[in-house]
Amino acid sequence: MSDDFVLDVTRIRDQARQKMSEGAITPTYGLDTSRVIEVLNDVVATEVVCWLRYTRHAISAAGIDRAQVAAEFTEHAAEEMQHALRAAERISQLGGDPDFDPTTLHRRSHTEYSTAADTDLKAMLEQNLLAERIVISSYQEIARWLGDRDPTTRRLIESILEEEEEHADDLTDLLST
Ligand SMILES: [Fe+2]
Ligand SMILES: [Fe+2]
């Protein structure tokens, strides 16, 4: 089989000179940026809600003297905040505005902010595991939708997804101890 890949550098150079104000977004970008920004803003909302839930649970778990669980929640909370910031940075790179509006965060989030049974460690672990399983599924679908049309955003989502899978695994270990 012959490799028929031909890179039309002349066309790419001409196109790159057009719309210079769009920065990193070139005509080879394969998606509608406004839709990608919208999807990423829902990721920002999801991550902020996850940060809030883990932070709340970390404090409650610490209060009932369960240091190991509290430490895990604190670590996850910090990672969820980093996920929110990384998604927000990508939104900005795509020419959008990251949406941290607290009045719409919960509606846009894929996961719930749940504090029920906040003295019950097992219930807390289960609520967080459920949330992780929801984000694992939704980020897998986002990664598939992005496909090869926006490899940078896809890699970002995949790298966040990898950490969510670690979170789910950590919670499963704690639930089985
Ligand atoms: Fe996350
Ligand atoms: Fe997570």
Side-chain angles (χ1 to χ4, degrees), residues 40 86-87 90 151-161:
L40 284 176
R86 287 163 69 194
R90 183 58 182 159
T152 307
T153 304
R154 192 195 64 227
R155 273 188 284 111
L156 168 69
I157 293 293
E158 284 174 346
S159 122
I160 296 174
L161 171 62

Side-chain angles (χ1 to χ4, degrees), residues 103-156:
T103 59
T104 60
L105 276 181
H106 193 253
R107 181 174 53 72
R108 290 185 291 119
S109 171
H110 302 159
T111 59
E112 296 284 328
Y113 175 78
S114 43
T115 58
D118 60 12
T119 54
D120 182 345
L121 275 188
K122 186 165 177 282
M124 282 190 246
L125 287 163
E126 282 169 353
Q127 284 170 351
N128 289 305
L129 177 58
L130 173 64
E132 295 294 350
R133 287 172 54 81
I134 291 167
V135 297
I136 288 167
S137 287
S138 63
Y139 292 178
Q140 277 177 350
E141 291 199 8
I142 292 170
R144 283 190 200 113
W145 168 65
L146 291 165
D148 59 4
R149 297 176 297 180
D150 180 346
T152 307
T153 304
R154 192 195 64 227
R155 273 188 284 111
L156 168 69

